Structures are given as structure tokens and as C-alpha cells.
């Protein structure tokens, strides 16, 4: 099969012939239908975050089950599925207390010394699997707890972006921030995750949704998806403007970029008792904090890995939202491209002037 392989950080991916193994007891073989191109992958491609090489990136995908291991009970051959990088073991303290997105994966990966799930066709060189998925490939071999069955009526190119951007943005709204009707919400960064958060905030009944992004076209997309106001996040007085227009600040600020400046903006625009939720992957050495007066004012700062999702429940519900016309995924997708244009998609991400690129497989 064809896959996009990253041999070294800060170099282009190359399309290679690789071979995927047969599924073991709890594994699922999936024919990839579509995969979103996420900024999280870009962090590894550009070397901001480390990862063993060579590897196949890609983690936001949907496809059709081709084969299952002997112990698989959650999906069957022919099922349409969405994958999610927050594979869960089902047994650790995080899983049994309902915080599945914090699970470290347990035995969802093959143990050291076992045969690699993916090798190069020509010489059996092991290819590392990124984020338990490696979706920039025509096939994926994953643990059954890294995918979930969905309604077969769901278009798979739209379903793909549910697996990261949408479940993260919507999860931040529904779970981590627990936004209630009437809340004033600011979404900082209007890429795939931020736009999903805007849409989810509308579904949750937020009274006011302020979209913050330096790119005018992305602010327009946010307004289409339900934002009530739009602010240029790059403006020098952005924080003061938002505090003034909200008469004191916002109840919730959701940061969906991963830049230090946007994290500071999220904290600066909180009202008394407000909460800032950081979703973006900040540089590993970066710190975002609250001052003494912020703490005395009851302000809170939290992270929310993958939006604190519970993906086996959340993703089917998001599918229903889409099929009922409540969740707008079409607006989030900027382009559909073949696998051999993956480096073009990363170049688009670096510019930051577009929403989601989605790779579609024939």
C-alpha cells in the first residue's frame, strides 16, 4: 500500500510502498477513506515535538473495516469507523473514573520486541506508527479501542475530521468548559479545532460567541458557524477590546492554536470567575499562568487534552448532530486533496490562512 513517510523532521514526506501486518487479537484493519491534515502532525513534521523516525503521521481519519482480530467485539468487517488518537485501555484509573482521554494507552500498542505493524515493502524496515494510528496511508492497523463504529449514512470525508478537530473543539465546550446557555465565550484561533468549538458553543446555547483570529477569512467562517462577534486576535488592543465589549470579560476563553500569545490572550480576557481552557500544543518549554489578582478573582486555567473527550460516545453523537443539520462540517473543510499533495497541505497549515485540508483516498 501507499503511505506518506516522514524520514526526518523538517524534511518533506515521501510516498512509499509499505506493508501492513495482519490484525492480532484486539486489532482492527481499516481501509482509509479520508484523513484530515492537523496542526498536531505539523508539530512532529517540523520537529517541535519529538518522535521516533521513520514514521507515518496522520491521526484524524475515517474508513471501512477490512479485517478484525479474534477478540474484537466492538466493530465488524464492513463497518464505517472513525479513528481517534486517544486510544483507551479501559482498565486504568483514568478510564474507570471517566477520564478516558488521559489514558496512556495501556496495551493498545504492540509491545517492544513484537513484529512492527508497518514495514517498508522493499526491505521490511520497521516504520513507526505515530499516535497509535498512522493515517496518511491507504490502510490503518489499530487497536479496537482506537476506533468507533458510526452511522453508515455519514459521508466519510466529513467523518474524518470528527476524530481530532471536532471532538477536541466540541469536547472542550461540552466537557472541559461545560458551557451553559447564556455564557459569554471567546474562541481564540479559528482553524479546524476553533471552528468546531464555535459550532459547539452555538449548540450549547452560549449567549455570545466571540471568534478571535488574525485572518479575516477565518473570522468570516466563524461567523457563518455561529459566532456573534469577530475580533482580530493580532491587534495590539485585542484583549482590551474584548473586555470592553463584554463589559468585564468572558466566562470562558478557549485557546485553539498552541501559541504563547494566544494563551496569554485567553487569560487576559477572563471576567471574575472565568475559565481559560488551553487546547493547542504549546512549545514544550512554554508556560502560561495566572497572576495573584487573577487567583484572588476566582479565575481558572486548565488544559483539556483532546477536549477531555469520551470518543466512543462523543463521535456517534457528533455524527447525529451532522446528519440532523446541527453540526456544520462542510464549512470547516477548505479542500480535498490526494495523498501525494500532503506536503502542500502542510505548507498551507504553516501559512495559517485556511481551515481544514482533507486527504481523500480513491
Amino acid at each position: 500500500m501507499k503511505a506518506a513517510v516522514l524520514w526526518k523532521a523538517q524534511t518533506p514526506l515521501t510516498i512509499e510502498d509499505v506493508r501492513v501486518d495482519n490484525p492480532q487479537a484486539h486489532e482492527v484493519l481499516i481501509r482509509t477513506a479520508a484523513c484530515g491534515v492537523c496542526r498536531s502532525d505539523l508539530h512532529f513534521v517540523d520537529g517541535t515535538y519529538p518522535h521516533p523516525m521513520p514514521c507515518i503521521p496522520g491521526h484524524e481519519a475515517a474508513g471501512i473495516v477490512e479485517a478484525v482480530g479474534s477478540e474484537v467485539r466492538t466493530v465488524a468487517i464492513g463497518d464505517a469507523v472513525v479513528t481517534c488518537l486517544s486510544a483507551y485501555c479501559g482498565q486504568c484509573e483514568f478510564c474507570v473514573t471517566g477520564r478516558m482521554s488521559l489514558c496512556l494507552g495501556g496495551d493498545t500498542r504492540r509491545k517492544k520486541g513484537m513484529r512492527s505493524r508497518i514495514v517498508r515493502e522493499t526491505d521490511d524496515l520497521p516504520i513507526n506508527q505515530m499516535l497509535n494510528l498512522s493515517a496518511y496511508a491507504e490502510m490503518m492497523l489499530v487497536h479496537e479501542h482506537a476506533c468507533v463504529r458510526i452511522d453508515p449514512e455519514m459521508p466519510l470525508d466529513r467523518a474524518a475530521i470528527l476524530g481530532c478537530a471536532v471532538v477536541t473543539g466540541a469536547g472542550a465546550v461540552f466537557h472541559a468548559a461545560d458551557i451553559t446557555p447564556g455564557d459569554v465565550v471567546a474562541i481564540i484561533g479559528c482553524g479546524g479545532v476553533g471552528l468546531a468549538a464555535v459550532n459547539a458553543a452555538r449548540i450549547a446555547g452560549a449567549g455570545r460567541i466571540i471568534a478571535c483570529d488574525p485572518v479575516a477569512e477565518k473570522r468570516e467562517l466563524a461567523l457563518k458557524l455561529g459566532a456573534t462577534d469577530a475580533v482580530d486576535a493580532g491587534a495590539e488592543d485585542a484583549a482590551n477590546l474584548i473586555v470592553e465589549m463584554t463589559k468585564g470579560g468572558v466566562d470562558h476563553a478557549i485557546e485553539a492554536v498552541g501559541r504563547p500569545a494566544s494563551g496569554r490572550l485567553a487569560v487576559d480576557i477572563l471576567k471574575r470567575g472565568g475559565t481559560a481552557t488551553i487546547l493547542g500544543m504549546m512549545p514544550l518549554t512554554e508556560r502560561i499562568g495566572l497572576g495573584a489578582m487573577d487567583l484572588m478573582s476566582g479565575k481558572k486555567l486548565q488544559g483539556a487534552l483532546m477536549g477531555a473527550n469520551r470518543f466512543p460516545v462523543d463521535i456517534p453523537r457528533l455524527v447525529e448532530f451532522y446528519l440532523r443539520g446541527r453540526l456544520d462540517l462542510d464549512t470547516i473543510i477548505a479542500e480535498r486533496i490526494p495523498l501525494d499533495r500532503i506536503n502542500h497541505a502542510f505548507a498551507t497549515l504553516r501559512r495559517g490562512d485556511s481551515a481544514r485540508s482533507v486527504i481523500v483516498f480513491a
Side-chain angles (χ1 to χ4, degrees):
M1 69 172 184
K2 299 293 185 183
V5 178
L6 178 64
W7 296 95
K8 184 180 178 182
Q10 300 182 13
T11 63
L13 281 72
T14 60
I15 306 302
E16 306 285 349
D17 289 311
V18 301
R19 185 172 67 254
V20 65
D21 199 16
N22 294 321
Q24 295 188 0
H26 287 281
E27 294 178 339
V28 179
L29 182 65
I30 302 166
R31 181 168 296 280
T32 314
C35 181
V37 181
C38 178
R39 183 169 291 276
S40 298
D41 287 313
L42 184 62
H43 289 305
F44 295 104
V45 172
D46 286 351
T48 307
Y49 279 65
H51 196 280
M53 305 285 178
C55 65
I56 300 171
H59 63 274
E60 185 182 77
I64 302 296
V65 175
E66 289 278 310
V68 298
S70 60
E71 299 299 319
V72 172
R73 301 292 182 267
T74 56
V75 297
I77 294 172
D79 282 345
V81 295
V82 168
T83 61
C84 189
L85 67 89
S86 51
Y88 62 97
C89 71
Q91 301 171 17
C92 70
E93 64 170 303
F94 300 113
C95 286
V96 300
T97 55
R99 297 173 290 167
M100 298 166 60
S101 64
L102 296 180
C103 176
L104 294 174
D107 59 356
T108 61
R109 300 169 182 83
R110 289 191 176 179
K111 293 180 174 58
K112 187 175 182 179
M114 296 178 67
R115 188 168 59 246
S116 177
R117 285 176 175 167
I118 308 168
V119 298
R120 185 163 60 179
E121 184 70 59
T122 55
D123 57 5
D124 290 343
L125 174 72
I127 305 294
N128 291 284
Q129 191 173 35
M130 182 177 284
L131 300 175
N132 211 34
L133 295 173
S134 285
Y136 295 151
E138 293 174 330
M139 304 284 283
M140 292 177 284
L141 182 60
V142 306
H143 192 276
E144 64 174 319
H145 288 170
C147 64
V148 59
R149 178 192 296 117
I150 61 168
D151 190 321
E153 296 299 313
M154 180 69 183
L156 293 179
D157 60 335
R158 281 76 150 187
I161 65 173
L162 295 176
C164 181
V166 179
V167 80
T168 299
V173 169
F174 299 143
H175 302 316
D178 192 21
I179 289 170
T180 57
D183 282 349
V184 177
V185 181
I187 311 295
I188 303 168
C190 296
V193 175
L195 291 174
V198 167
N199 201 164
R202 181 180 66 178
I203 293 171
R208 194 168 185 180
I209 304 168
I210 304 166
C212 308
D213 197 284
V215 180
E217 291 80 5
K218 293 164 81 172
R219 297 197 297 270
E220 287 298 319
L221 288 176
L223 291 168
K224 182 178 179 181
L225 286 166
T228 58
D229 305 270
V231 171
D232 181 353
E236 187 174 342
D237 61 344
N240 291 334
L241 175 60
I242 293 169
V243 171
E244 182 179 340
M245 68 191 289
T246 56
K247 296 180 173 57
V250 303
D251 297 293
H252 293 279
I254 297 176
E255 193 279 344
V257 184
R259 293 187 177 134
S262 58
R264 289 190 290 271
L265 178 60
V267 169
D268 290 344
I269 62 177
L270 294 178
K271 70 189 296 185
R272 292 172 65 86
T275 300
T277 302
I278 307 298
L279 300 179
M281 293 172 67
M282 297 279 180
L284 290 170
T285 57
E286 189 61 39
R287 292 182 180 273
I288 302 294
L290 295 173
M293 284 304 298
D294 294 326
L295 295 171
M296 291 176 65
S297 299
K299 297 179 183 180
K300 295 176 284 293
L301 173 64
Q302 64 178 358
L305 178 64
M306 290 290 292
N309 76 80
R310 304 163 301 180
F311 85 85
V313 175
D314 291 347
I315 287 177
R317 286 180 177 174
L318 293 168
V319 167
E320 286 299 310
F321 281 149
Y322 175 80
L323 293 176
R324 293 176 188 173
R326 300 186 68 190
L327 182 65
D328 181 358
L329 303 177
D330 303 78
T331 296
I332 296 176
I333 298 174
E335 61 177 357
R336 294 167 177 82
I337 59 174
L339 182 62
D340 61 11
R341 296 195 69 205
I342 181 62
N343 293 309
H344 153 82
F346 281 129
T348 300
L349 263 184
R350 291 185 187 98
R351 290 197 305 272
D353 57 2
S354 182
R356 219 35 157 214
S357 299
V358 174
I359 294 168
V360 291
F361 296 82

